[in-house]
Amino acid sequence: MMKKHVLWLAMLALLMFVLAACGSDDSTGADADGASGGEEGSSEEKYKIGILAPEVTHGWVGAVAYHAEDRVEELSDQVDYQIQTSGNAEEMTSQLDDLTTWGADAIVAFPQWEGMDVPIQNAIDNGMTVVNFDIVIDADGVYRVSGDNEDMGIQGANYIVDKIGETGNVVVLEVPSSGSVSELRTKGFEETIADIAPDMNVMTYATEFTREAGLTDFADILTSVDQIDAVYSLDDETSVGVLQAIEEAGRTDIQVVTGGGGMQEYFEMMPENEDIWIQSALYSPAMVKDAVDVALDVLNGEEVEQETIIPTTVVDRDNYEEFLDSDSPY
């Protein structure tokens, strides 16, 4: 009887051990799930931000992607992110669909061409927060972060008139393929020149935002225009090409070349060219960090202005040293 009692107690102890173990396994599983779910949960608690950027065809464009990724990595405790790059509106639209499927809470969209208005509007209508960086996307409810493109043109006109006076021959290098960027910068320039120097002779030619285009296109212009007093270029890289064309042609008539962006190489050329005033209207690629911040602020329910316009700063040989940055990718 004693043996049976001992055996029963042993069996009871074994049963209690098994039950305790099962309970422990359930608890551990819940904790593990919770931890994994916590990691997933923390991932779910993190906002998903997608960044749509163009393929790198220009140093400034590459720097935008660099600064955007730098910012979301700084915010890694709050956001998960994906960066997609594309070569045209159709490809970017497909990537927008991919990010929607991924579950993006917000998109920072940086197209360098037209054609994104409808897909962006559809995304907003479906509840997506969209922050438009740089080129204007015409969609209701979109947030926008940009430099002041029109003011860049205004500053360029004032700078040229300050350096050459109210008369002379000015070549304007517009970039029709860049949409609103070129339109606004050219508009600001032309309207200001018409107001402050109505007798200025303005000649407009098309080019691209690359030094290769600046060199080739301006070399052609130099063969057909005998006297040029100033060049209103919208972009630093284009201007680097323009300066090379001037040097190779041996021209000494050009007194001013403007630019835009904030390119370190271009800044360093400013003091080297004593016979030409080289100017840049600062349009820093680091502004995209503000676009990421706007997206996060909206997702956090903060009150955000629909449009954030960052003021223009003019850089030339008198102040370029203030803007030198050895760590800048552009």
Side-chain angles (χ1 to χ4, degrees), residues 4-65:
K4 287 183 180 180
H5 183 68
V6 170
L7 180 60
W8 182 84
L9 287 175
M11 291 177 64
L12 181 61
L14 178 62
L15 179 62
M16 291 178 66
F17 175 78
V18 169
L19 289 173
C22 289
S24 175
D25 285 346
D26 285 345
S27 174
T28 303
D31 287 348
D33 288 343
S36 175
E39 290 173 4
E40 285 175 11
S42 77
S43 179
E44 287 173 4
E45 286 166 12
K46 290 182 182 180
Y47 294 115
K48 291 184 174 181
I49 296 180
I51 296 169
L52 292 173
E55 294 171 351
V56 178
T57 56
H58 183 286
W60 190 87
V61 172
V64 169

Side-chain angles (χ1 to χ4, degrees), residues 179-200:
S180 64
V181 169
S182 181
E183 291 170 9
L184 289 168
R185 294 182 191 181
T186 303
K187 175 178 181 286
F189 178 82
E190 291 178 342
E191 290 183 353
T192 304
I193 284 290
D195 182 44
I196 66 175
D199 296 327
M200 193 77 77

Side-chain angles (χ1 to χ4, degrees), residues 181-258:
V181 169
S182 181
E183 291 170 9
L184 289 168
R185 294 182 191 181
T186 303
K187 175 178 181 286
F189 178 82
E190 291 178 342
E191 290 183 353
T192 304
I193 284 290
D195 182 44
I196 66 175
D199 296 327
M200 193 77 77
N201 180 33
V202 176
M203 299 164 281
T204 302
Y205 299 86
T207 189
E208 297 292 334
F209 283 154
T210 67
R211 67 183 67 198
E212 294 80 11
L215 171 59
T216 302
D217 294 335
F218 200 69
D220 290 341
I221 294 167
L222 287 172
T223 63
S224 60
V225 183
D226 293 334
Q227 175 65 36
I228 300 173
D229 298 293
V231 180
Y232 176 62
S233 168
L234 283 61
D235 174 75
D236 291 350
E237 290 212 39
T238 306
S239 301
V240 170
V242 167
L243 289 164
Q244 183 179 345
I246 293 170
E247 182 179 4
E248 291 179 359
R251 293 282 289 261
T252 58
D253 49 325
I254 299 158
Q255 303 171 53
V256 181
V257 175
T258 68

Side-chain angles (χ1 to χ4, degrees), residues 135-154:
I135 291 179
V136 174
I137 298 172
D138 186 14
D140 292 335
V142 70
Y143 292 87
R144 182 159 185 266
V145 174
S146 175
D148 195 335
N149 282 297
E150 188 168 347
D151 189 52
M152 290 172 74
I154 293 170

